[in-house]
Amino acid sequence: SYELTQPLSVSVALGQTARITCGGNNIGARNVHWYQQKSGQAPVLVIYRDLNRPSGIPERFSASNSGNTATLTITRAQAGDEADYYCQVWEGRTGIFGGGTILTVL
Amino acid sequence: QVQLQESGPGLVKPSQTLSLTCTVSGGSISGGDYFWNWVRQHPGKGLEWIGYISATGSTYYSASLQSRVTMSLDTSENQFSLRLTSVTAADTAVYYCARAVPPPGVVVTLDGFDIWGQGTMVTVSS
């Protein structure tokens, strides 16, 4: 079955740029969706179909997808961006999540 | 706007059946090309997709759970449900319901889960 690989953790200094990767075999050929999950809360969709932001998601959140890696980029990182981030794709009719990345803002 | 709310027992005994309901408010459960999903999260772990039921009642389940999972739709109550049989401690998790829709003009895949319930913790223990 298809697998998505994320780093366990990423740290970023306040106000700097964080990049969270999601690796998968030829993931560039798939639509990748990204979720933010703050402690004790439900996940929130922050990017859909590789690079689209739902309404209400700040422009600081962007993403790309090419080759074997999709990347979520958070510019001007804020303390409120501390959360777990998950990538997700559909493999046929099956939903697949990456293992999640803990983002720490220093 | 559309909101989802899970409900059901917080404690289930081993070998019994876990039953949860997701109530959809602010919109019709069958009013569009919607796919209603269940996702769970074991304590301290990542997200696991369980399956979905479409607005027309077709279902698709995770291969690892399909032998124990049943999902159903109640359009009169605007709810959809999850049943997981023969539960063990490994089924202890927060269970979320979530909506997904296909991209415009596309039928072979779905977009991301755009609306989530708040989640409900289910513990399997005697």
Side-chain angles (χ1 to χ4, degrees), chain B residues 1-74:
Chain B
Q1 73 276 23
V2 176
Q3 294 183 312
L4 307 182
Q5 177 68 61
E6 304 89 350
S7 59
L11 181 64
V12 181
K13 288 182 168 46
S15 80
Q16 294 192 343
T17 296
L18 178 161
S19 296
L20 297 175
T21 296
C22 183
T23 300
V24 180
S25 59
S28 171
I29 199 170
S30 56
D33 198 6
Y34 303 132
F35 290 76
W36 304 101
N37 295 260
W38 289 95
V39 175
R40 70 181 181 178
Q41 186 169 34
H42 295 103
K45 301 298 185 183
L47 302 170
E48 179 186 12
W49 180 79
I50 299 171
Y52 67 61
I53 183 165
S54 75
T56 58
S58 62
T59 56
Y60 197 81
Y61 307 136
S62 163
S64 63
L65 294 170
Q66 65 178 8
S67 64
R68 300 193 291 131
V69 170
T70 304
M71 295 181 187
S72 59
L73 209 60
D74 185 342

Side-chain angles (χ1 to χ4, degrees), chain B residues 77-113:
Chain B
E77 295 291 335
N78 225 36
Q79 296 174 335
F80 62 103
S81 298
L82 167 71
R83 290 182 75 250
L84 182 65
T85 62
S86 304
V87 297
T88 70
D91 295 309
T92 293
V94 175
Y95 286 76
Y96 296 99
C97 54
R99 188 185 79 171
V101 297
V106 177
V107 297
V108 296
T109 189
L110 296 174
D111 264 340
F113 304 105

Side-chain angles (χ1 to χ4, degrees), chain A residues 48-67:
Chain A
Y48 66 97
R49 227 180 299 148
D50 292 341
L51 48 74
N52 298 278
R53 281 187 314 276
S55 61
I57 301 302
E59 292 183 5
R60 300 186 299 103
F61 288 79
S62 63
S64 62
N65 184 19
S66 179

Side-chain angles (χ1 to χ4, degrees), chain A residues 24-46:
Chain A
N25 184 31
N26 197 26
I27 194 173
R30 302 172 182 268
N31 289 330
V32 179
H33 317 292
W34 290 92
Y35 304 87
Q36 175 194 68
Q37 185 180 32
K38 296 183 179 180
S39 181
Q41 298 183 19
V44 172
L45 181 68
V46 294

Side-chain angles (χ1 to χ4, degrees), chain A residues 9-13 17-19 101-106:
Chain A
S9 63
V10 167
S11 298
V12 61
T17 298
R19 293 180 179 84
T101 298
I102 302 169
L103 177 67
T104 302
V105 180
L106 304 172

